[in-house]
Amino acid sequence: MTEKYDAVVIGGGPGGYVCAIRLGQLGKKALLVEERELGGECTNAGCIPSKVIISFANKFYEAKKLVNDGALSGELQPSLAKLQEKKDKVIQRLRDGIAFLLKSNGVKIVKGHAELVDNSSVEITTNGSREVVSASSIVIASGTAPTELPSIPFDGKHVISFAEALSLRELPKRLLVVGGGPIGLELGTAYSKLGSEVIIIELMQQLLPGVEPELARIVKRSLERRGVKIHLGTTVENYRKDDDGVRVNLTSGDKYAVDRVLVAVGKRPTKWVEKLRELGVELDGKGFIKVDDRMRTSVDGVYAIGDATGPPFLAHRASRQGIVAAEVIAGQNSVFDNRAVPNAIFTDPEIGSVGYTEAEARNSGFSVTSARFPLSALGRGVLEDETEGVVKIVAEGESGSILGIHIAAPHATELINEAALALEMAATAEDVGYTIHAHPTFAESINEAAHAVLRRAIHLAPR
Amino acid sequence: MTLLKLPDIGEGISEGEIIRWLVKEGDFVKKYQPLVEVMTVKVNVEIPSPYEGQVVKLLAREGQVVKVGEPIAEIQTSQEQAETPTTPRQPATQTAQPTRPQEQRVLATPAVRKLARELGVDLSIIKGTGPGGRITEEDVRKAASSPPTITATRPETIVGEERIPLRGLRRMIAERLVKSVSRAAPVTIFEYIDVTQLIRLRDEARQIAEERGVKITYLPFIMKALVKSLGEFPMLNATVDDEKQEIVVYKHYNFGVAVDTPEGLLVPVVKNVESKDVITLAVEISELVDRARRGALKLEDVSGGTFSITNYGAIGGLSGTPIINYPEVAILGVGRVEKRPAVEGDQLIIRPEITLALTFDHRVVDGAYVSRFMNRLKRYLENPALMII
């Protein structure tokens, strides 16, 4: 007899496991199928391990500055082998935590490969043995795969994706990063801080395409000051492998011999998702699963969440979608109607961004007023020697209703959550300006930027 | 994806009700293919597609009132389809797609949005009373308890009663009339008119008209008498501009004529009555009435009125208290022609009469002015020959 579930969730990443826990909370009998490890790309090859490396690189870099200033003495040498051990421990601990939470919410976990038979049964292959389970609802949270560049395909050794770049046991001497998006910049920053010579190339004319241009410029300046070479409007012309690594010719005419090439140009739909078409699941033009605001696909009873539904590829978005899907399955009137999904980029300075950029707001027909507050005018910025940053607020002209907040600053990835709350709460510049922000903090710059929207910032000279 | 917004239909129209979608989600449409039927305060219009492409999503439901500029549908234009490659080759980055709000901007907190979902309230049609136009919890609760047009939850049907949603033209009529009585200060005055001579004139004109194949009623004569009288009392040939707090007095005479149609009341406008003769007026009135009943009125047929007439006498009505066709200042109600006993000198005689009822906006003019106007109108109607003087 086939086992029967209220819901089968395929994929144990930040979309799938959150969905399964919420299903459990709502009293649904749920099964989570994960082919590899719980936590998905986020925990195992994305957000978490990259932040382990970035955090280590930041500490190393700060210590090195102290040595250079003469405040510390000694020879500093990073150990990537040690770092990998630490990373593995962190990942293991988080995986265990996820497993524990799933179990304590009554979710059954199966390690295996899942295939949809129809909209109410799933075939699961575990160690060669097959089993078909039946499910009233199926949630697809299968994620994406890294996009390969035909001009320089992955070989897993010299030409690598972000997954391998997070597992390096030796520091690359020279690292070429193809793709100036968040992943490329985050890892490029970290390895340059650890001592690699880093070159970043980006096809567009701006690093971090889609991010408020001023923020991208701040990050670019800061990278270049640390010796990172950046080529915009550039891609790989051709390459040749030799014993030492890879010789790459760029379309800009520059040539580099490097020991590693990190290709981070985005993510693509998996082949697994492609097969869903046969069941009638509609995919969009790029091959991502089409869903409505209740996470329903075009096939009754089949839901999809997270990266498999297309960009923005963000763990926190996937989690929110997972909660919505679980609640909809449990019969609740829940929708994904979030005003904005915050974006957190762990560069130096960090970038936090939510809502419309100024250009997007204007293109969408809003009457826009915007204002910026630089960290150089902020007490905390000066005392920490972190004056290269800015908070920019984009608001609707008439009402002062906030359309977007964009931050380049230390801890911007933390600060942005206040901004996201402001957007969800339909706050105006007046509201944010009115709210007392503790002193001396970086968050004060948000308060001051709101005042600046109203043309009454305290710590800016009148213009 | 391209958002199709409710276009500016002109004539100061700021909103319309979605009557009927002529396409479904997923349909392919040609440029200029009619997409949706929209009813405005004045007429029904069909909105054509400005693009060729596929209708991805209908953002407004039938029965919903949409403001000009608000999105009503999402269309994937054929150009966009051509631009979307099936294999992503361009360097997509994690942030290449801006994280946009999911729907058109509604200013409400998550808790209020959730409440709205639970109560079946469409936030996009509610006006927020909170700071900066934010929709408050109270706004949602209020909307939920108001007529079924705004709430999605239908009241249970009770045996022995039928519930008909207040929709379409009915709702337009309701809203306009309520606006009129809530803004104007209406007063109605009455007058008996001896129509002995008017009937004689009409009968003589009828012969001339019939030679030209035109059927003639009393209405064109009343219009001509009105032009003469309003010329002397111009404050009644006027509208009120609430926003600017001004009275707009007109030197031309455009008379709205109330027409009973199967769908409900419509008020087409006969333009420049002062420059048209009785027979021309008769022809124009009958054309407008015909168009109104066929639902073929154009926007210009129903706009620009300076004064209105409701001729309920034609279907046997005696008298009433008409409601002003806001923002006009006055409306004349015309009762049926009937023989009545009257006193002439000390003699009781029988003569044909009609009862006129004039409702006016007391904010604009006072009773004495209107009484004098009514006496003047009476004089012209009782002695139509005076009109040529």
Side-chain angles (χ1 to χ4, degrees), chain A residues 147 150 181-183 202-203 209-211 265-267 285-286 311-313 333-339 341 343 355-356 360 364 366 399 401-403 424-428 431, chain B residues 5 54 56-57 84-110 113-114 117-120 123 131-134:
Chain A
T147 303
I183 297 177
E202 163 60 46
L203 185 64
V211 166
V265 294
K267 303 194 202 182
K286 296 187 174 177
F313 304 117
N333 191 351
S334 188
V335 299
F336 187 93
D337 70 342
N338 288 68
R339 291 296 176 262
V341 182
N343 205 350
Y356 290 87
E360 281 168 5
S364 304
F366 289 105
S399 59
S401 159
I402 293 175
L403 297 169
E424 282 308 341
M425 298 297 285
T428 60
D431 296 323
Chain B
K5 294 174 181 167
Q54 186 179 15
V56 177
K57 201 164 183 203
T84 309
T86 40
T87 48
R89 247 231 65 181
Q90 77 268 53
T93 66
Q94 282 188 320
T95 49
Q97 291 278 333
T99 50
R100 274 177 189 288
Q102 294 286 305
E103 54 185 276
Q104 165 249 344
R105 220 171 128 75
V106 167
L107 294 180
T109 66
R113 301 203 296 262
K114 185 171 183 193
R117 276 201 302 281
E118 277 162 6
L119 297 179
L123 288 176
R134 261 175 288 183

Side-chain angles (χ1 to χ4, degrees), chain A residues 192-213:
Chain A
S192 91
K193 283 182 171 179
L194 290 173
S196 297
E197 194 183 328
V198 175
I199 306 111
I200 297 173
I201 66 171
E202 163 60 46
L203 185 64
M204 309 297 268
Q205 289 299 335
Q206 179 192 317
L207 290 182
L208 301 171
V211 166
E212 184 69 41

Side-chain angles (χ1 to χ4, degrees), chain B residues 120-132:
Chain B
V121 171
D122 181 355
L123 288 176
S124 64
I125 58 172
I126 296 184
K127 216 175 141 61
T129 63

